[in-house]
Amino acid sequence: VQANEALVIDSGFVPAYKMLRVIHGALGNYDGAFDAYQKERQFSGNPEADDPHWLMISAQVEAYGNQREKALEHLQTSLAAPRVKNNVKAYGFEFAAAYALLGETDKAMEWL
């Protein structure tokens, strides 16, 4: 995977961790997706797990791990945060991805 090669050059290259998160998730490897998510947060400069943005990403990872209720809770918490609530268009893709992964196609399309 090209993302792994990028990480050999720069072990803190956040887009590579994002790609690995998506790849592992698509392959049904929850542990790999979760590990990539953790490193993505760690190297992002904002590692706070309760940050509204990271809650959206966490919901996607939880969807990979069949943790539906937890994912939905994180989406609701994220949406209630003023930063997100006042600028929902900026986060549309992340919400759409999470809802799509949860099998909620109509909601995903609304966000897109």
Side-chain angles (χ1 to χ4, degrees):
V1 174
Q2 298 285 333
N4 287 325
E5 292 179 24
L7 291 172
V8 169
I9 297 167
D10 180 356
S11 64
F13 189 55
V14 174
Y17 289 114
K18 179 176 182 172
M19 189 55 55
L20 287 172
R21 171 175 48 86
V22 171
I23 291 168
H24 284 296
L27 294 173
N29 178 359
Y30 169 76
D31 291 336
F34 184 76
D35 182 57
Y37 159 72
Q38 294 286 78
K39 289 178 181 168
E40 186 180 0
R41 275 191 16 237
Q42 174 188 350
F43 289 109
S44 73
N46 179 15
E48 301 302 318
D50 62 348
D51 179 272
H53 171 76
W54 289 120
L55 289 176
M56 292 175 229
I57 305 302
S58 178
Q60 294 170 23
V61 175
E62 290 153 0
Y64 295 136
N66 296 314
Q67 299 173 25
R68 181 179 183 75
E69 294 307 315
K70 190 173 182 182
L72 290 171
E73 178 183 321
H74 281 153
L75 289 173
Q76 291 304 315
T77 301
S78 182
L79 186 56
R83 183 174 100 201
V84 176
K85 190 176 186 178
N86 295 330
N87 192 15
V88 291
K89 290 183 181 181
Y91 302 99
F93 176 80
E94 300 300 351
F95 277 102
Y99 281 117
L101 290 167
L102 290 167
E104 297 203 19
T105 308
D106 291 341
K107 280 190 177 183
M109 293 305 291
E110 286 175 27
W111 280 99
L112 291 175

